[in-house]
Amino acid sequence: MKHWLRNILILTLWLGRADRVIQPTGDVIAAEGDTVTLGCTFETSGTGYYLFWYKQDGNNSPKFILSCPQFGTVNTEKEYEERFSSTLDTTSKSVPLKIQKLQLSDSAVYYCALQPTVTGNTKTLYKNLWSKDNTILHNIH
């Protein structure tokens, strides 16, 4: 089997795991000062996981807002502490993001992400896709 093809197959098998997040599609429309809740549910085959929320405005990179561990306390980035909150519900497997006292600067795309922290091999997160001439096409982190 060709080296580059083997790496793609390994990556595909790793991505085929049952761990995933599901966010409702579409825009949420609200007025300044309102409170909104953005939904996120998740599926995971393991334990010891974290759920994260990120905010991306314009063409900027996503910015970390907060993390919710399966066991423990929510960790919120200082900039968002007063108005952004979340609670991980392991029964309904949801981690909604609540934003209070909306500001115009809150207009953005919000991402929910899942990170298993106990099960699996973290080395599988670092796979390179190689072309036929053994140059890196894309480095997956």
Side-chain angles (χ1 to χ4, degrees), residues 64-128:
F64 169 76
I65 297 173
L66 58 80
S67 63
C68 297
Q70 179 186 10
F71 308 108
T73 307
V74 173
N75 176 29
T76 308
E77 183 68 23
K78 192 164 187 72
E79 175 184 351
Y80 301 104
E81 281 180 345
E82 292 184 20
R83 299 183 307 108
F84 289 69
S85 61
S86 187
T87 303
L88 191 148
D89 184 335
T90 55
T91 304
S92 65
K93 294 204 171 187
S94 67
V95 60
L97 176 66
K98 184 177 180 180
I99 309 171
Q100 300 178 74
K101 300 176 187 172
L102 281 173
Q103 301 172 2
L104 189 57
S105 61
D106 295 330
S107 293
V109 177
Y110 291 84
Y111 295 101
C112 178
L114 169 68
Q115 177 196 16
T117 57
V118 174
T119 61
N121 181 353
T122 57
K123 290 181 182 177
T124 60
L125 294 173
Y126 302 97
K127 293 290 179 191
N128 294 324

Side-chain angles (χ1 to χ4, degrees), residues 31-79:
E32 282 188 86
D34 285 356
T35 296
V36 296
T37 301
L38 305 178
C40 175
T41 58
F42 61 94
E43 297 173 2
T44 183
S45 57
T47 60
Y49 48 83
Y50 276 78
L51 274 295
F52 298 88
W53 276 100
Y54 294 90
K55 172 186 176 182
Q56 183 176 23
D57 53 358
N59 291 325
N60 297 319
S61 298
K63 288 177 70 175
F64 169 76
I65 297 173
L66 58 80
S67 63
C68 297
Q70 179 186 10
F71 308 108
T73 307
V74 173
N75 176 29
T76 308
E77 183 68 23
K78 192 164 187 72
E79 175 184 351

